[in-house]
Every structure is written in C-alpha cells, then in structure tokens.
Amino acid sequence: MPRRLAIDGRGYANLARQVRSPNCDARPAGTAITLLVLHGISLPPGEFGGDGIVRLFTNRLDAARHPYYATIAALRVSAHFCIRRDGALLQFVSCDDRAWHAGASTWKGRAHCNDYSIGIELEGADEVPYSAAQYAMLARLARVLMRRYPITDIAGHSDIAPGRKTDPGPAFDRARFARLLVPARRRS
Ligand SMILES: [Zn+2]
C-alpha cells in the first residue's frame, strides 16, 4: 500500500523529496490560500529527467551549460512543488510561504497571484502529453491541498498571465484532471 499523502503542520508534504529553495518569502499577513496554479517546465526546454529544474529553483543553474540557461540563470524563481515525468513529487517551498512562480499575474481581477496561491510545476512541454503518473500524483496532491487550504480555484499559468505565459500548454488535459479529482472528493 502506498503511504497516504499528507501536508504536515509546517506546510510540507510527507511523500515529497524536499529540496529547499531560497526563492520564497512570507505571504502577506492574513492571506488565505485560495488558488492552485499549474505550470509546465522542462530544462533544457523539451528535455526531461535532468537536474535543470532543481538547479534553477536553487540558484545553481550553470549559464554555460546550455544557451537557454544563459537567459534564465539570473532569475530568482521557485514553485512549491514539481511533479516529474514518473510521478515523483519534489517540494521546494512550504505551502505556508510564498513561492515565486506566477510573476505578473491576475486571477478574477485579483493581482499578485503568488500571494494567495500554491504553484505546482509539471515536468513537461506545452505540446507533449503529460504522463499518467503525473496526472495521478497531481490529482492526489490537489485533493490533499484542497482539504487543507480553502482553495476555490485551479488555474494554469497561461490563465493568470495570458499573452505572457503558455504553460502548462494545450497538452495538459484539463478534463482528464477534473475527472481524477472528482471520485476522491466523494470518497472523502
Ligand atoms: Zn509557469
């Protein structure tokens, strides 16, 4: 039996490999977490399985290693979670803190989505189907987060930064994800 996924009292997922990112700070006092933001990322773009994402989120990306890295190595960014192609879960920032994943963003007229959201990166690319293991872990994680925090909405990065961001891309099957979320909500 796989262990039950849970978020501990400090905002960390018990089944995630924990990698601390310095790219975070406190949420504004009294801000409820009401939004999940879904992202897609691969480093280098279109290549899976390497250490680029971990390096980017921990400010250790080697700008000389790939031409694209030179354009992003100075960024100070993070997300709370990343789900790799095999479904493995990584966590970089406590859910209670503010990760730096959304950038300039607005959801339903409210700006600064980082303040009130949890960011989940799926290792992938806009046009490459995400894996079954990723959908399964994403649904599992989203269910646990929705029980723990007063989350009312789930949006893609492209929804909160239209024209600037395209991830998680057309490859992300929103209907499939929605179907995976529903049964467990009934069960719980
Ligand atoms: Zn994104």
Side-chain angles (χ1 to χ4, degrees):
M1 266 302 272
R3 285 172 63 205
R4 186 186 167 87
L5 179 63
I7 308 293
D8 73 15
R10 295 175 308 122
Y12 294 107
N14 62 333
L15 300 187
R17 178 162 81 87
Q18 298 292 334
V19 181
R20 287 287 76 79
S21 172
N23 305 328
C24 63
D25 54 10
R27 296 181 189 273
T31 304
I33 298 166
T34 56
L35 177 66
L36 286 186
V37 178
L38 307 182
H39 300 260
I41 189 174
S42 50
L43 292 174
E47 292 182 30
F48 306 144
D51 63 0
I53 300 169
V54 169
R55 286 186 169 275
L56 176 66
F57 289 171
T58 54
N59 305 335
R60 293 181 298 124
L61 199 62
D62 181 358
R65 196 149 151 208
H66 188 279
Y68 182 66
Y69 287 4
T71 69
I72 60 167
L75 295 179
R76 292 296 172 258
V77 291
S78 64
H80 294 90
F81 295 100
C82 177
I83 300 174
R84 308 218 65 149
R85 302 296 293 183
D86 64 357
L89 182 63
L90 279 70
Q91 184 169 11
F92 297 91
V93 173
S94 163
C95 295
D96 295 342
D97 289 331
R98 177 169 61 184
W100 302 345
H101 57 97
S105 52
T106 302
W107 179 244
K108 293 184 174 173
R110 188 177 173 195
H112 308 299
C113 294
N114 282 340
D115 290 356
Y116 58 94
S117 69
I118 289 173
I120 304 171
E121 300 275 359
L122 299 167
E123 184 179 28
D126 285 4
E127 310 287 344
V128 181
Y130 293 91
S131 73
Q134 287 180 301
Y135 283 104
M137 177 54 84
L138 176 61
R140 204 172 162 196
L141 178 61
R143 287 198 300 262
V144 168
L145 293 172
M146 292 170 86
R147 278 200 289 268
R148 172 65 181 273
Y149 301 101
I151 291 165
T152 55
D153 291 289
I154 302 175
H157 202 183
S158 56
D159 300 316
I160 63 169
R164 190 173 70 81
K165 292 292 179 180
T166 60
D167 62 302
F172 183 73
D173 187 340
R174 291 168 187 246
R176 179 177 181 177
F177 173 51
R179 281 197 302 275
L180 284 170
L181 272 183
V182 168
R185 270 175 150 177
R186 279 200 206 112
R187 207 186 303 142
S188 62

